[in-house]
Amino acid sequence: MLTFFGALLLLIVGYAVYSKFVERVFVVNDETPTPAYTKRDNLDYVPMSWWKGNLIQLLNIAGLGPIYGAVAGALYGPVAFIWIVIGTIFAGGVHDYFSGMLSMRHGGAQYPSLVGRYLGNTVKSFINLLSLVLMMLVAAAFTAGPAQLISQITPVSFTVALVLIFGYFLLATVLPVNRIIGKIYPLLGGILLFMAVAIGVALLFTDKQIPNLTIENLHPGELPIWPLLMVTISCGAISGFHCTQSPIIACTMKKETDGRKIFYGAMVIEGVIALIWAAAGMTFFNGTGGLQEALAAGGPSGVVNEISTSLLGTLGGILAILGVIILPITTGDTALRSSRMILTDLVSKFYKMDKKYKVLFVTIPVALPTFYLATIDYTFLWRYVGWTNQVVASVMLWTGTMYLLKNGKFHWICGVPAMFMTGVVCTYIFYAPEGLSLNYHLSLVIGFSLAFIVLLWYVGQIVKYRKIHRKEAELHAA
């Protein structure tokens, strides 16, 4: 139990201390007008209060991610607590802050546009495709999952449920951000947080002890911690999906100092939620062996339902239904909205048309394939979300690194986690079943070799920009 409470305390201290350090490195200025005012269109660019932005951002980035991912990650034992803390403070919080603040600084630019600006058009083209694929996979999986559950507990068929959910998705995608998202999502974000806190408090009053991290239980399973844990627990540590969502809220910020509370704050709250559910997963079933059996029998939704109803009774059942049905839907619709905004950026260079027609024009190409993907086996889709998600996260961290390098700022806050995540994805792609399924040790050799090449590139960029800044300083002195 000490490990759990220590991890919780570190998350709080991390927000109080490290987020302020990150903000000082970035340098904020409340005198600079934000895109919510300079580009206000009452569709995507609408000023909203920071607390609404925080809760909407939390719901956008979280959904069931920090619940399902944390429960699955609990199979690795208490080491999951350590990853959640380190990932949230030094990687996820930084990733989310820079993705939101850079978008805000560049007029509400979407993630691929930021990548193109700081990493070049070649990487931008790759990321445009990868981001759209990721958004459609997430939207499809988060349509099919709730639709399947609705068909199991009500007379409504899977097809009808799918159509109804997708109809809502289209409305949330094309309507102004303050119509549905701005009014309902802060409430649902509060429910997500309340659900986790209620589970955490109830867990403390059971006769079960949350396990501590020791040498004996450091690695209770057979699967290797590196790189699988870092992909299994993404929401709740670091997730590339977040940088596709941050521009939605970046377009609604009233002032720059709100960014730390919105972006870094939402990531830390998500880390707390993941921490609680990881603790519940490894405690409620009397260890990782019992959790593995429960996951095999009922999957993540069955585990969440059993924990919720057992610890919280009727309230737990209601929360479980809200969580397993409503929360993924609210993530799926913003995934589709992000796709629409990314595609809008692309077509705006080639087609000039009225805003309302453009919204419909770009929604159709992402909506149709997403709906088709939702009709096939969504568990198959979910296997490919993990590694594409963390590739996107790595590229966003490198984008932040290059921004800091070009501006002569402390680039290590982005560069170190970027190198770490590069090592993770390079190894994972070669080792994982949805990758190349190579031998683990061979995957390590190839993965670290590729990461070393990226490190050499990084060192080269450091040397390059040091020379540039030195020359600029000499010219300024002269």
Side-chain angles (χ1 to χ4, degrees):
M1 190 171 288
L2 286 176
T3 304
F4 171 76
F5 280 111
L8 185 61
L9 179 62
L10 285 172
L11 284 174
I12 296 170
V13 172
Y15 174 72
V17 178
Y18 196 68
S19 70
K20 290 182 179 177
F21 172 69
V22 171
E23 184 182 58
R24 284 198 298 273
V25 171
F26 186 82
V27 184
V28 292
N29 180 11
D30 281 345
E31 298 302 314
T32 304
T34 64
Y37 295 105
T38 60
K39 300 178 70 174
R40 182 165 186 167
D41 62 0
N42 293 324
L43 177 65
D44 296 317
Y45 296 87
V46 183
M48 288 197 298
S49 61
W50 73 264
W51 65 268
K52 273 191 175 184
N54 172 274
L55 288 173
I56 295 169
Q57 174 75 357
L58 174 64
L59 199 64
N60 287 357
I61 67 176
L64 285 179
I67 301 177
Y68 280 12
V71 166
L75 290 172
Y76 293 87
V79 71
F81 296 154
I82 308 304
W83 166 236
I84 289 169
V85 170
I86 294 174
T88 295
I89 295 173
F90 299 106
V94 175
H95 169 279
D96 289 14
Y97 182 79
F98 272 83
S99 62
M101 295 302 287
L102 285 177
S103 173
M104 183 273 302
R105 279 279 173 89
H106 294 294
Q110 297 302 302
Y111 164 63
S113 296
L114 298 175
V115 171
R117 180 181 290 268
Y118 293 104
L119 294 178
N121 287 327
T122 301
V123 183
K124 177 184 177 181
S125 299
F126 167 72
I127 285 299
N128 259 318
L129 177 61
L130 191 65
S131 298
L132 287 171
V133 169
L134 176 61
M135 293 304 95
M136 287 189 285
L137 286 174
V138 169
F142 281 177
T143 308
Q148 188 176 70
L149 185 59
I150 289 171
S151 69
Q152 291 171 355
I153 63 176
T154 71
V156 177
S157 69
F158 172 77
T159 303
V160 172
L162 198 67
V163 171
L164 290 174
I165 293 171
F166 210 78
Y168 161 75
F169 275 15
L170 292 176
L171 279 176
T173 300
V174 301
L175 286 176
V177 69
N178 60 340
R179 287 283 180 86
I180 295 178
I181 294 174
K183 291 181 179 177
I184 301 174
Y185 283 27
L187 173 63
L188 296 178
I191 290 173
L192 175 67
L193 183 57
F194 173 78
M195 182 181 181
V197 172
I199 291 293
V201 172
L203 198 64
L204 298 178
F205 289 94
T206 65
D207 56 356
K208 304 175 188 293
Q209 289 293 312
I210 300 174
N212 289 314
L213 180 65
T214 63
I215 298 297
E216 289 76 20
N217 69 7
L218 177 64
H219 189 24
E222 297 180 357
L223 293 173
I225 293 172
W226 176 279
L228 299 184
L229 177 60
M230 292 78 189
V231 177
T232 303
I233 302 181
S234 53
C235 289
I238 176 172
S239 167
F241 178 69
H242 296 189
C243 69
T244 66
Q245 301 303 291
S246 294
I248 295 176
I249 305 303
C251 296
T252 69
M253 288 171 56
K254 289 185 173 182
K255 55 184 180 178
E256 292 195 354
T257 49
D258 287 345
R260 184 175 70 90
K261 293 176 283 189
I262 292 172
F263 302 114
Y264 204 111
M267 182 63 240
V268 170
I269 295 172
E270 188 186 57
V272 171
I273 293 171
L275 196 70
I276 290 170
W277 278 102
M282 66 182 76
T283 304
F284 185 82
F285 298 98
N286 300 312
T288 56
L291 173 61
Q292 192 163 26
E293 291 177 5
L295 284 170
S301 59
V303 167
V304 170
N305 184 60
E306 187 173 350
I307 292 173
S308 300
T309 52
S310 298
L311 292 180
L312 302 176
T314 304
L315 174 62
I318 295 171
L319 290 175
I321 292 172
L322 284 171
V324 177
I325 295 179
I326 296 178
L327 294 179
I329 290 174
T330 60
T331 301
D333 64 8
T334 51
L336 202 61
R337 189 180 186 94
S338 295
S339 321
R340 188 263 292 167
M341 293 171 76
I342 290 171
L343 203 56
T344 298
D345 267 9
L346 281 172
V347 302
S348 293
K349 297 177 182 178
F350 307 103
Y351 300 101
K352 301 294 181 184
M353 63 178 71
D354 185 87
K355 184 90 174 180
K356 61 182 179 181
Y357 296 117
K358 185 189 294 183
V359 168
L360 293 173
F361 176 74
V362 300
T363 299
I364 294 170
V366 293
L368 292 179
T370 301
F371 183 79
Y372 169 73
L373 289 170
T375 62
I376 66 177
D377 182 9
Y378 77 95
T379 56
F380 166 79
L381 297 176
W382 198 246
R383 291 176 57 188
Y384 292 90
V385 170
W387 70 264
T388 55
N389 187 39
Q390 298 304 58
V391 169
V392 168
S394 303
V395 174
M396 181 61 234
L397 284 170
W398 283 121
T399 301
T401 303
M402 291 306 298
Y403 164 79
L404 294 173
L405 267 173
K406 288 184 176 182
N407 288 278
K409 298 181 179 181
F410 191 75
H411 56 88
W412 301 106
I413 60 171
C414 284
V416 172
M419 271 308 314
F420 180 87
M421 291 307 298
T422 298
V424 166
V425 296
C426 285
T427 307
Y428 187 88
I429 289 171
F430 287 96
Y431 176 64
E434 58 270 27
L436 298 178
S437 298
L438 299 182
N439 172 272
Y440 180 63
H441 295 291
L442 177 59
S443 300
L444 285 176
V445 171
I446 299 173
F448 280 108
S449 298
L450 291 174
F452 182 70
I453 293 172
V454 176
L455 176 61
L456 293 178
W457 167 82
Y458 183 25
V459 172
Q461 294 299 309
I462 293 171
V463 172
K464 170 186 171 181
Y465 281 102
R466 278 182 178 172
K467 289 179 179 178
I468 290 173
H469 294 313
R470 192 180 301 119
K471 287 181 180 179
E472 289 175 348
E474 289 172 356
L475 288 172
H476 182 72

